[in-house]
Amino acid sequence: MLNSYDIMETIKMIEEEHLDIRTITMGISLRDCCGEDIHRVADKIYDKITRTAERLVEVGVQLEAEYGIPIIHKRVSVTPIALLADACTSADVTVLAKALDRAAETVGINFIGGYSALVHKGMTRGDRNLIDSIAEALTETQCVCSSVNVATTRAGINMDAVARMGEIVKDAAYRTRDRDSIACAKLVVFSNATEDNPFMAGAFHGVGEGESVINVGVSGPGVVQKAIQRAGDCDLAQLAEIVKRTAFKITRMGQLAAKEASKRLGVPFGIVDLSLAPTPAVGDSVAHILEEMGLESVGAHGTTAALALLNDAVKKGGVMAAAHVGGLSGAFIPVSEDAGMIDAVRAGALSMDKLEAMTAVCSVGLDMIAIPGDTPADVISGIIADEISIGVVNNKTTAVRVIPAYGKSVGDEVCYGGLLGSAPIMKINTNSPAKFISRKGRIPAPIHSQKN
């Protein structure tokens, strides 16, 4: 039962503490759109998305008005397009990216994810064609997001794919050099990618999913920060309990929105992703939560421990609040999208190495990090390999979304506006891993992957 206190508390969270539904994402299967003629496939993709997601934005707006809950983005994720590319005789897969973009524009969504390939063990012809097209596709579209899964704990790491993705990131940066290399902000490289992630740029509709589904991502870093602030000088066990209770309340709101959207759209409810996803707005920062816990600045020694506590407590609280929890779920640490992270980088308190350490205990990985534009492809591949190995060994999802900002160096900044924010160019280690990366092949799966 809801009482007046619960209602007033939720209103305060929304009005003063940046509580929102970050995204309602509709997953759509495109497996029935396969065919040899790529232009016919493109037409079928456009028709199915526009038919299935026709009312997605309308329903999102209705829920905002009726419940007073901000729903920031309405999005679509689709079957990894490389699976469709396998059947097409044409190698020019950008035709399919443009069909996705047209469909996104027609239904009025913010982003569409699924220009993706799953190559953790090897590549098919369709995988290669899609990967080779990513830079061009992201340059020539507005809403399309791309992801490539290059490793799993079970399969190990496909270093052929890792090496190629370093080159693709460089190409995407160059092609959008007049826009601060923004194409790279729509491209993520994964290990252990999840099939039900509602967040971009890594969302895709997994092959184990049904015909369509509604997944919701909630967010409330400001709510958690204020709860910790009100708690004062409590011990760490009490602090964890406060975060758990707050995450429970945030996730209940997400469950409500997901169920209602599911019912009104006639699409099954999938999962609630209870990640704390920050924005550049003041008061909506994961970094500021960590500082409220007692750090002088995020990046200080103790940051990884504080983040581990936060991530675990968020998961424990959220799991109790939703019928199905999925996606990534935890705490995101994207540099450009978090005001506190941006400030810490500018002050020299947060380094690339510290961010990498933090990814061992939180959701996703090295996210929205701007690096010098002259960074060689092999160094980018090395960054990817290091981060992906954390995911493989720890049996968790990790990812890399770095932006080698063309023509910029340490001390400069990139600025995208909106949720993508802005970021100082971070200093990185430029000692070359070229010989290691050029060995290619596959790094074997860790011994603990043998569980059958």
Side-chain angles (χ1 to χ4, degrees):
M1 289 289 292
L2 291 175
N3 57 41
S4 58
Y5 175 80
D6 291 329
I7 294 169
M8 293 305 295
E9 183 182 40
T10 302
I11 291 171
K12 182 178 180 182
M13 288 177 178
I14 292 169
E15 292 184 347
E16 300 178 16
E17 298 170 2
H18 302 279
L19 178 61
D20 60 53
I21 302 293
R22 185 53 48 83
T23 179
I24 292 179
T25 300
M26 177 183 284
I28 301 174
S29 174
L30 300 181
R31 288 157 65 181
D32 57 348
C33 297
C34 286
E36 293 185 356
D37 185 336
I38 199 163
H39 297 286
R40 177 62 184 139
V41 172
D43 289 341
K44 290 195 285 186
I45 287 173
Y46 175 86
D47 291 343
K48 184 163 188 183
I49 294 170
T50 54
R51 181 177 68 250
T52 309
E54 180 181 18
R55 296 181 55 245
L56 177 61
V57 173
E58 173 192 336
V59 167
V61 172
Q62 287 175 1
L63 294 176
E64 285 186 281
E66 292 177 28
Y67 291 99
I69 303 170
I71 300 175
I72 307 302
H73 278 179
K74 294 84 177 174
R75 301 165 172 168
V76 166
S77 63
V78 299
T79 303
I81 293 297
L83 299 179
L84 280 69
D86 272 329
C88 297
T89 55
S90 172
D92 183 12
V93 191
T94 58
V95 173
L96 304 184
K98 291 171 184 176
L100 294 175
D101 207 43
R102 290 198 310 274
E105 183 179 5
T106 299
V107 298
I109 56 175
N110 305 98
F111 291 107
I112 186 164
Y115 198 72
S116 306
L118 311 179
V119 295
H120 37 277
K121 205 169 184 180
M123 297 188 205
T124 65
R125 181 181 60 85
D127 292 327
R128 292 184 187 280
N129 288 342
L130 183 130
I131 289 172
D132 289 346
S133 76
I134 286 174
E136 181 181 352
L138 297 184
T139 300
E140 297 188 3
T141 59
Q142 296 297 315
C143 301
V144 174
C145 292
S146 180
S147 60
V148 178
N149 190 67
V150 299
T152 66
T153 297
R154 188 73 184 191
I157 305 173
N158 182 348
M159 289 300 292
D160 293 339
V162 169
R164 183 69 180 122
M165 289 312 299
E167 297 167 351
I168 296 298
V169 170
K170 282 287 288 185
D171 189 13
Y174 178 77
R175 288 173 184 260
T176 51
R177 58 193 180 280
D178 59 335
R179 291 175 283 158
D180 281 345
S181 300
I182 193 171
C184 299
K186 300 186 290 176
L187 171 60
V188 59
V189 184
F190 272 115
S191 69
N192 295 316
T194 61
E195 297 191 337
D196 54 6
N197 167 24
F199 288 103
M200 299 298 167
F204 63 88
H205 187 69
V207 294
E209 299 284 334
E211 186 67 20
S212 60
V213 70
I214 288 292
N215 298 320
V216 165
V218 298
S219 184
V223 177
V224 175
Q225 181 190 351
K226 290 294 184 181
I228 293 172
Q229 188 179 77
R230 288 191 293 270
D233 294 328
C234 61
D235 68 28
L236 293 175
Q238 291 173 307
L239 195 67
E241 187 66 24
I242 289 163
V243 174
K244 280 166 54 180
R245 291 181 179 181
T246 306
F248 179 90
K249 295 172 184 176
I250 293 169
T251 307
R252 290 301 286 175
M253 185 186 73
Q255 172 91 350
L256 169 66
K259 288 285 191 180
E260 277 299 311
S262 170
K263 182 171 69 176
R264 297 184 190 196
L265 290 165
V267 173
F269 161 58
I271 57 92
V272 175
D273 186 319
L274 47 94
S275 298
L276 294 180
T279 72
V282 175
D284 198 26
S285 163
V286 170
H288 289 159
I289 297 175
L290 302 177
E291 290 166 359
E292 195 65 55
M293 291 168 73
L295 302 172
E296 181 179 356
S297 171
V298 66
H301 293 298
T303 296
T304 306
L307 183 59
L309 183 156
L310 173 65
N311 205 59
D312 180 67
V314 166
K315 288 177 183 287
K316 287 175 177 173
V319 163
M320 294 297 293
H324 299 287
V325 170
L328 302 168
S329 291
F332 289 176
I333 53 170
V335 172
S336 79
E337 299 174 8
D338 187 308
M341 297 286 180
I342 295 168
D343 289 343
V345 172
R346 286 173 177 159
L350 184 60
S351 68
M352 188 71 146
D353 290 341
K354 188 61 178 178
L355 281 165
E356 185 179 295
M358 293 164 68
T359 66
V361 299
C362 75
S363 298
V364 196
L366 296 171
D367 196 19
M368 288 302 290
I369 298 172
I371 60 177
D374 61 357
T375 303
D378 62 89
V379 173
I380 295 172
S381 293
I383 292 170
I384 293 170
D386 282 347
E387 183 58 31
I388 293 313
S389 68
I390 291 174
V392 168
V393 172
N394 290 287
N395 197 24
K396 68 187 291 291
T397 303
T398 55
V400 175
R401 185 164 49 150
V402 293
I403 304 163
Y406 189 85
K408 299 202 172 185
S409 55
V410 175
D412 296 329
E413 296 202 6
V414 293
C415 184
Y416 302 117
L419 290 181
L420 294 179
S422 61
I425 308 299
M426 294 189 69
K427 181 181 179 181
I428 62 170
N429 186 335
T430 56
N431 287 293
S432 177
K435 185 174 180 179
F436 174 72
I437 299 298
S438 67
R439 289 178 183 273
K440 298 188 178 178
R442 185 152 53 95
I443 295 179
I447 185 64
H448 58 259
S449 68
Q450 302 303 317
K451 293 183 177 181
N452 281 348

